[in-house]
Amino acid sequence: MNHDTCGFGTKAIHAGNVKDAQYGALSTPIYQSSTFVFDSCEQGGRRFAGAENGYIYTRLGNPTTTVLENKIAALEGGEACLATASGMGAISSTLWTVAGAGKHIIADGTLYGCTFALLNHGITRYGVEVDFIDTSDLEALRSHLKENTVAVYLETPANPTLKITDIAAVAREAHGYNPAIKVICDNTFASPALQNPLSLGADVVVHSATKYLNGHGDVVAGFVVGKADFISQVRLFGLKDMTGAVMDPFAAWLLLRGLKTLELRMARHCENARKIAAFLAAHPAVEKVNYPGLATHKGHDVAARQMKDFGGMLSFEVRGGKAAGMKLVNALKLITVAVSLGDAESLIEHPASMTHSTYSEEELREAGIAPGLIRLSAGLENAEDLIADLEQAMAEL
Ligand code: LCS
């Protein structure tokens, strides 16, 4: 059956699945094999030459991973998808495909810390020029586009400030200047259940599948989604020859398992984050709350337009800055102090000293990441318990 017209939850369960012809297994089998046997030397040659379909070696493709890739492509509305060993594997494989000496990339300055490090200190070592701007400021984007610009890179909502960028406006601007520019959007915070950047005009979506897509805190993984010819370039050059960041078949299987409940989980993450944001916004000890679902959030209108809901991530500052923020985090009993996000467990962390410690103090300031900012990933617990935990910790301040 073709699942194109089905709802998101149906696609997450059924799209891309291949009937197990041998035993009829309901769950996709794990093909935990590094290599695939050829009938003959000639057949191996034909497969390498692309003259015959079939698997060769798991760095190039694997049957378990193919099912997952086709499912993610369906969920993001993309022609094709490439699975990778991590979100950073997806991002680096993509950037190595588009960039080269003498090329120019425009990136938002507010990004996950390691993405920022890759763009700021990594690929710049190889003659790639990177300008960091605020992509929600179209004038800034316009003034930085130039002849050798190959990509515009952004996250929305952004880690950890929850800044919202209007994907359609950025795509219009970048493609109006040069249709060949790749607008690359990291969709990790929203997940495809809430936002499909390709349908808004982005060319490439990257994911840390470690987060909501898997959802159970037991896998590190990533994806690149886009047009088939581009994904093929990322697979056969960016991943095969440059990063080697291939997803393990067992990780692919765990992701297939996690994805079955993505839509349900996202609804609960959003509901919990919305309740926590409202609680924090009304609390006298709280100075500022960043949650796109709050009408006071700068990007609220754009988020309401381009997202189905506002997500499970929020960040906030308490009165008393960093010391008070850390005291609050240390006083929590249920909400767990850990990096990562999108898991069943609510996780809390201090970006300036943890996920964003790759930023200098000045870079943190420019990115709007306050020294006392606390980031919270609302999990799947009962909202009342999470709020009670925050309330008792606030009382310690
Ligand atoms: N993109 C975003 C938006 C992320 O938040 C992360 C990881 C990555 C890409 C990289 O993905 P990974 O290689 O870890 O799968 N973010 C993390 C975070 O905020 N805490 O721990 C990891």
Side-chain angles (χ1 to χ4, degrees):
M1 179 188 168
N2 184 328
H3 301 98
D4 286 356
T5 56
C6 294
F8 187 90
T10 306
K11 280 187 194 164
I13 295 166
H14 293 283
N17 292 359
V18 175
K19 192 168 178 222
D20 175 23
Q22 198 170 8
Y23 299 115
L26 173 68
S27 163
T28 299
I30 307 172
Y31 289 93
Q32 194 72 29
S33 185
S34 54
T35 196
F36 295 84
V37 180
F38 305 133
D39 289 339
S40 65
C41 199
E42 288 77 7
Q43 187 188 46
R46 284 197 301 278
R47 290 208 182 158
F48 269 87
E52 178 187 304
N53 287 331
Y55 292 95
I56 297 173
Y57 186 66
T58 282
R59 179 152 40 78
L60 305 174
N62 174 284
T64 310
T65 311
T66 302
V67 171
L68 174 64
E69 289 172 339
N70 290 338
K71 194 181 292 290
I72 293 291
L75 296 180
E76 278 293 6
E79 284 180 10
C81 167
L82 172 69
T84 57
S86 65
M88 287 310 299
I91 296 161
S92 54
S93 300
T94 302
L95 291 178
W96 282 126
T97 304
V98 298
K103 305 288 187 200
H104 173 241
I105 294 176
I106 298 173
D108 197 284
T110 309
L111 297 168
Y112 167 57
C114 296
T115 307
F116 181 71
L118 170 65
L119 283 158
N120 199 17
H121 306 299
I123 63 172
T124 47
R125 289 170 56 184
Y126 301 91
V128 183
E129 189 194 348
V130 181
D131 276 325
F132 292 98
I133 65 158
D134 174 0
T135 51
S136 71
D137 175 355
L138 290 178
E139 193 45 55
L141 174 62
R142 214 167 287 139
S143 67
H144 283 83
L145 286 163
K146 45 189 192 178
E147 206 183 322
N148 59 343
T149 305
V150 289
V152 178
Y153 189 97
L154 63 102
E155 293 175 6
T156 182
N159 187 355
T161 61
L162 284 301
K163 183 176 79 171
I164 300 292
T165 287
D166 185 335
I167 301 168
V170 166
R172 236 182 351 257
E173 201 65 47
H175 294 149
Y177 182 83
N178 176 358
I181 292 174
K182 298 274 187 259
V183 174
I184 306 170
C185 181
D186 184 327
N187 202 26
T188 300
F189 268 37
S191 94
L194 305 185
Q195 176 174 274
N196 288 132
L198 300 176
S199 73
L200 297 164
D203 302 284
V204 183
V205 166
V206 291
H207 273 285
S208 169
T210 315
K211 313 298 180 326
Y212 292 108
L213 294 177
N214 180 58
H216 294 75
D218 47 17
V219 165
V220 175
F223 294 111
V224 189
V225 194
K227 288 258 193 291
D229 59 346
F230 180 72
I231 295 303
S232 170
Q233 284 174 39
V234 182
R235 186 188 299 279
L236 297 177
F237 176 70
L239 184 139
K240 178 171 83 65
D241 298 344
M242 301 293 283
T243 66
V246 64
M247 182 184 285
D248 183 77
F250 183 55
W253 184 84
L254 283 167
L255 269 148
L256 287 167
R257 192 177 201 269
L259 281 168
K260 294 182 190 189
T261 54
L262 177 62
E263 191 180 46
L264 285 171
R265 288 187 283 107
M266 287 314 296
R268 177 68 162 243
H269 285 300
C270 292
E271 182 193 324
N272 281 355
R274 194 175 358 263
K275 287 179 179 166
I276 293 169
F279 163 78
L280 291 172
H283 199 288
V286 176
E287 195 162 305
K288 187 175 182 203
V289 183
N290 303 317
Y291 183 61
L294 292 174
T296 50
H297 189 283
K298 195 176 161 212
H300 176 71
D301 292 345
V302 175
R305 205 164 61 229
Q306 72 184 11
M307 299 175 75
K308 292 194 192 82
D309 203 341
F310 300 103
M313 296 299 298
L314 54 103
S315 56
F316 61 99
E317 292 167 56
V318 290
R319 291 188 206 287
K322 180 178 165 185
M326 289 200 159
K327 194 171 174 193
L328 170 82
V329 169
N330 288 333
L332 291 163
K333 297 188 170 127
L334 177 65
I335 299 172
T336 307
V337 188
V339 297
S340 205
L341 58 109
D343 292 330
E345 296 82 359
S346 290
L347 302 178
I348 198 159
E349 63 114 11
H350 175 238
S353 67
M354 298 178 189
T355 49
H356 292 72
S357 55
T358 53
Y359 281 71
S360 68
E361 272 182 29
E362 193 190 330
E363 287 162 349
L364 284 171
R365 211 171 18 254
E366 275 171 22
I369 305 168
L373 188 74
I374 302 296
R375 191 192 75 183
L376 173 58
S377 168
L380 302 177
E381 302 94 336
N382 297 103
E384 313 80 80
D385 296 325
L386 299 172
I387 289 169
D389 193 27
L390 285 164
E391 201 151 32
Q392 67 78 23
M394 294 282 188
E396 298 288 313
L397 297 182

